[in-house]
Amino acid sequence: MLKFDPIIVHGGDISGFSKKIGKPEALIKDFSSNINPLGPSKCVEKIYYESFALLKKYPDPQARELTQVIAEKLLLTTDNIIVGNGAIALIELAIRAINPRKVLLVEPCFTEYRRLAILNGAQIDSIGLNPQEDFQFSLEAIMDRLDQTDLIILGHPNNPTGTHLSQEDLLKLIQKVEEQNEFLLIDEAFIDWCPDQSVVDALKDYSSFLVIRSLTKYFSLAGIRIGYAAGAGFLIAKMKGLQETWSCNALAQKLGITALKDQEFYDQTQAWFMTESSRFFNLLSNLPGVKAYSSKANFFLLKVSSHFNPEDFWMRIKREGIYLRDTFDFQGLDASYVRIALLKEEDNNIFIKTLEECLVSYGAFHSLSG
């Protein structure tokens, strides 16, 4: 039976994790939520402290200034942009606006896709990514299912695997979807970690797909909930017609504008990510008993060896105050997998040391080497 729960548990619940393992929140290393550890930026911090007066005012119901900034950044018009209370709210709006009978997912993927589609009355068709192929996407497999679906939802890159269709293949899919009068929702919540793979520029030529982005991850603004979608004017208008009034609060609008204009922070994060992601992945890859899957985003999927009891193994890590994202609620994954975020070098080294100590206690270096 396929898993579905109308209430989904995500990472980032530090309070709940603290109570579960009996450690103070201050001692928890949160590897469960994929937030840029370098942010928020100094510019955002400054504007935050200067924005107290906004609390007594209603926000702009149309988020005009923020919408204009996004449109200029993407070289689109404001009619192509909708701002909302985070990416999940916009995914829900898009599904309601498109109202598909059948939705195609490539799984494991962000669990909200399945939940929101089912809540809207859609049937789910699913393509399973193969761990033996490192969860790589297959354009052919997706093309083969196009005649059986109304809407395809893809993570680009995908959560929790960090993989994605190449930009070339995704553009081929967009063209085919357009020809068959279907629709494609592309979740680019993590695209800032691999910006060269974005397909948002294709919106100038095609009207059958929607791009959704979040300011949560790269800009470290998870606490204020802010995201946006870019698409054809007719779909954006329909989404706006379904959207609640004041869906983006005043503080979120102000900080979102500041974050998107802060090119220095963006470039600094890129430089850090390229170095630390590679270093951390190499360390993970050299450990026996745990497989790390390559990722284009700021997280990695890990799988512990079948020689060990996975629940016990990962719980030992957690008891040391390391908050991991369990993956048993993802289609196609089980308790042997966890997802971990990329943090600063010091915290990543703590994770490697804790993982090594756990592997030593299991005899991994002796039993699995040579």
Side-chain angles (χ1 to χ4, degrees), residues 231-251:
F234 73 90
L235 179 61
I236 296 298
K238 192 169 184 179
M239 290 172 66
K240 287 179 178 178
L242 294 170
Q243 189 177 37
E244 294 179 359
T245 307
W246 301 306
S247 289
C248 185
N249 69 73
L251 189 58

Side-chain angles (χ1 to χ4, degrees), residues 12-31:
D13 182 9
I14 298 176
S15 176
F17 181 74
S18 171
K19 290 181 174 65
K20 182 177 181 179
I21 67 166
K23 279 186 178 291
E25 292 185 29
L27 298 181
I28 304 299
K29 298 293 183 183
D30 185 12
F31 284 85

Side-chain angles (χ1 to χ4, degrees), residues 6 33 92 102 109 115 128 138 179 186 243 303 332 355 367:
S33 55
E92 180 185 24
K102 182 174 284 188
C109 64
R115 184 182 77 90
S138 166
E179 291 171 359
I186 302 172
Q243 189 177 37
K303 178 178 174 61
L355 188 55
S367 61

Side-chain angles (χ1 to χ4, degrees), residues 113-324:
Y113 304 159
R114 175 178 285 271
R115 184 182 77 90
L116 295 174
I118 291 174
L119 289 177
N120 198 64
Q123 294 181 336
I124 303 297
D125 190 14
S126 178
I127 297 172
L129 296 174
N130 189 347
Q132 302 301 319
E133 298 173 354
D134 291 342
F135 299 102
Q136 294 300 314
F137 279 65
S138 166
L139 175 61
E140 182 180 0
I142 298 173
M143 291 286 205
D144 287 344
R145 300 285 189 91
L146 285 186
D147 292 335
Q148 307 167 35
T149 191
D150 305 305
L151 171 65
I152 308 163
I153 305 179
L154 293 179
H156 184 68
N158 184 50
N159 174 17
T161 63
T163 53
H164 60 78
L165 274 178
S166 69
Q167 185 186 60
E168 179 182 0
D169 282 350
L170 190 50
L171 290 172
K172 291 178 182 176
L173 179 60
I174 290 169
Q175 182 176 1
K176 189 68 174 178
V177 165
E178 183 99 357
E179 291 171 359
Q180 297 194 190
N181 199 30
E182 293 164 344
F183 218 87
L184 174 62
L185 191 162
I186 302 172
D187 181 2
E188 289 193 345
F190 293 97
I191 199 65
D192 289 297
W193 304 105
C194 51
D196 61 314
Q197 291 299 308
S198 177
V199 293
V200 74
D201 287 347
L203 285 169
K204 300 180 184 68
D205 302 312
Y206 300 97
S207 61
S208 58
F209 78 101
L210 181 78
V211 171
I212 290 181
R213 290 186 176 180
S214 167
L215 275 69
T216 294
K217 319 298 182 184
Y218 200 90
F219 299 98
S220 302
L221 296 177
I224 61 169
R225 308 307 304 141
I226 181 170
Y228 62 90
F234 73 90
L235 179 61
I236 296 298
K238 192 169 184 179
M239 290 172 66
K240 287 179 178 178
L242 294 170
Q243 189 177 37
E244 294 179 359
T245 307
W246 301 306
S247 289
C248 185
N249 69 73
L251 189 58
Q253 292 182 39
K254 194 74 171 179
L255 299 185
I257 292 167
T258 304
L260 289 171
K261 289 183 174 181
D262 192 350
Q263 191 63 42
E264 182 179 359
F265 175 77
Y266 194 95
D267 294 342
Q268 287 175 346
T269 293
Q270 283 290 311
W272 163 81
F273 174 71
M274 296 299 292
T275 300
E276 184 58 19
S277 178
S278 176
R279 187 194 75 89
F280 190 40
F281 180 68
N282 287 336
L283 290 173
L284 291 167
S285 299
N286 288 326
L287 293 174
V290 173
K291 177 175 175 57
Y293 293 89
S294 179
S295 170
K296 292 293 186 180
N298 63 327
F299 56 80
F300 296 102
L301 189 64
L302 305 181
K303 178 178 174 61
V304 69
S305 169
S306 58
H307 290 78
F308 309 145
N309 179 307
E311 290 92 344
D312 178 69
F313 182 87
W314 294 122
M315 182 52 70
R316 290 195 188 192
I317 303 290
K318 294 173 186 176
R319 289 196 188 104
E320 297 302 316
I322 305 292
Y323 185 9
L324 310 171

